[in-house]
Amino acid sequence: MKRLEANTNENEYYARISKKLRNTKYLALLLTVACAFLTLFAYRDRLTYGNFRYLFRDIDAAGNAAFSSDTVYYTADENNTYAYFREDLAVGSSGGVAFHRAMGSRSFSDEVNFRSPVLAPSKKYLVAYDSGGYNFYVYNSLGRVYNEKLDSEIISAAAADNGHFALLLKNKKGGADIFVYDRNFNRVASLTRHGDAYTIGFLEDGRLYICECKVENASLYTDIVFYTVGEKETHGDMRVSGLAYKLGGSKNGFYALLDRGISFYGEDGEKNYSFGTADLLFADAKKDSVCVILKENSSGEECGAYLYNDEESVFYAVSKGAKGVALASGRICVLYDGRITVCYDGETAEIEIPTGARKIIAVDSDKVIVCYNDYAKIFKVR
C-alpha cells in the first residue's frame, strides 16, 4: 500500500504576516510596561491614598447587600449615634465610624477619635464630625473619601443628596462661618453670619438654610436665610416665632419644625398655616409628609402623634414616655421602652420589643430599625 505524506510546505506570505503580528504584539506589550513605569516615576508624588479614595467617591457597594439578617451587633458606647445610610446602618462612636450590613457583618470601620460624634447622612455622602471639634470626615458606602481639619469649632453640618455638603463653624471674632463644598470636595463658598447661627440643613431642591436665634422684647425668634450653591449672596430672609429645629420640603413649598409645633410655607416664604401649640418632642419626615410627637398639656400626661402634609393633618392620642418616632410609608411608629406603637389608617397597634431601645429609624415601607446599646434589630410594622 502506498503511504500518503502530509504537505508541509508553508505559504510564505501568511508566514510573514504572522511574524509581523507577533512582533507587534510584543512591541505593544513592551511599550505599555515602559509607559506604566514612566507614569509611576513621573507622578509618584501624586499617587497617594487620598487620591485613590477620591477615585472611588461615586461607587456604591451597598444596594446589593442590604440587611439579610434582622440583627447587627456593634461595640457598646454611651456616645453611640446612628444613621441609615445607603442601606447600611452607620454607627458613630468614641472610636470612630462603622457601617453594618448583611448577615450582621461590619462592612467598613474607620478608627478616629470622637468625644461627641454626630452623623449627617444623605443619598450621596455621610459627613461625620465631633460636636465642638475641628475635624470632619466624609464617607461613601465603601469608606472614607475625604477629611479635613478646620481652624474653628464645628457647630453643625449638613449633606445634600446631590453631593454638596456644608459645615457651620464658630467664628472666633463672633458670629459664625459656613463653608460649602461641592461633590468633588472643593470649597465653593465661605459665608459669614453675624448672628447666633445654631443649625444648617439642605432642602430637597438643594438650597442651604441657616437658622439664627434672636431675642427681642423678651420673645424668641429664628431668622432663616437661604443660600443656593453657585451664587454669591444669601437670599430669602424670613423670621419665625420660636426656635426652628429643622426645615424640609413639601408639595407647595417647605415646612419648619418649631419648638411649639410646625408651620408650612409657600415657595415665596409666606406662611400658609400652622399646626400645634404644644412642645415638640420628636419628629421624622419623608417626602411630602412629616410626623411629630407633641406634648398635649403642661403636665405631660397625654401626648399627640400628628401626621402632616400640605392638605391635612391626622391626630392620634399616644401615651407619654416616647423615646423617638419614625415615619414608614404613612405609619407613625412611636418608640417606647419595650414596645412600638404603630399609628395608621385611624387605628393604633402595639408591637412588643426588647427593653433598652435608644433610637428608631425607618428602613422602608414596612420595616424599622431599633437601635440598642450594643446591637440593632429590624422589626416589621405592617
Side-chain angles (χ1 to χ4, degrees), residues 228-277:
T228 300
V229 177
E231 296 185 358
K232 295 182 178 180
E233 303 291 338
T234 59
H235 56 86
D237 295 19
M238 57 181 290
R239 170 169 288 190
V240 299
S241 179
L243 191 67
Y245 294 128
K246 176 182 173 61
L247 273 65
S250 62
K251 292 180 180 179
N252 301 318
F254 60 93
Y255 65 84
L257 291 176
L258 308 172
D259 56 345
R260 297 185 65 81
I262 181 172
S263 295
F264 285 85
Y265 299 84
E267 292 288 352
D268 56 0
E270 293 295 325
K271 184 166 68 173
N272 293 332
Y273 38 81
S274 298
F275 295 103
T277 57

Side-chain angles (χ1 to χ4, degrees), residues 184-310:
N184 294 321
F185 320 120
N186 300 309
R187 190 184 299 176
V188 294
S190 297
L191 311 173
T192 298
R193 303 298 301 177
H194 300 290
D196 294 324
Y198 61 91
T199 191
I200 58 176
F202 283 95
L203 295 176
E204 283 74 3
D205 60 10
R207 285 184 295 168
L208 174 72
Y209 64 85
I210 306 164
C211 295
E212 300 178 358
C213 178
K214 294 289 179 68
V215 178
E216 292 184 4
N217 299 323
S219 297
L220 180 65
Y221 299 93
T222 300
D223 286 341
I224 303 173
V225 297
F226 298 91
Y227 173 75
T228 300
V229 177
E231 296 185 358
K232 295 182 178 180
E233 303 291 338
T234 59
H235 56 86
D237 295 19
M238 57 181 290
R239 170 169 288 190
V240 299
S241 179
L243 191 67
Y245 294 128
K246 176 182 173 61
L247 273 65
S250 62
K251 292 180 180 179
N252 301 318
F254 60 93
Y255 65 84
L257 291 176
L258 308 172
D259 56 345
R260 297 185 65 81
I262 181 172
S263 295
F264 285 85
Y265 299 84
E267 292 288 352
D268 56 0
E270 293 295 325
K271 184 166 68 173
N272 293 332
Y273 38 81
S274 298
F275 295 103
T277 57
D279 293 343
L280 188 147
L281 303 178
F282 300 100
D284 191 27
K286 293 294 182 288
K287 185 177 181 181
D288 299 331
S289 297
V290 57
C291 68
V292 298
I293 304 297
L294 296 178
K295 185 186 294 185
E296 287 297 290
N297 53 58
S298 59
S299 66
E301 290 299 325
E302 296 291 338
C303 293
Y306 292 84
L307 176 64
Y308 301 112
N309 55 39
D310 282 333

Side-chain angles (χ1 to χ4, degrees), residues 292-294 296 300-306 315-322 332 334 336 339 341-343 348 350:
V292 298
I293 304 297
L294 296 178
E296 287 297 290
E301 290 299 325
E302 296 291 338
C303 293
Y306 292 84
F315 168 77
Y316 299 88
V318 294
S319 58
K320 65 176 182 178
I332 304 176
V334 188
Y336 294 92
R339 75 181 194 277
T341 297
V342 182
C343 307
T348 59
E350 304 288 335

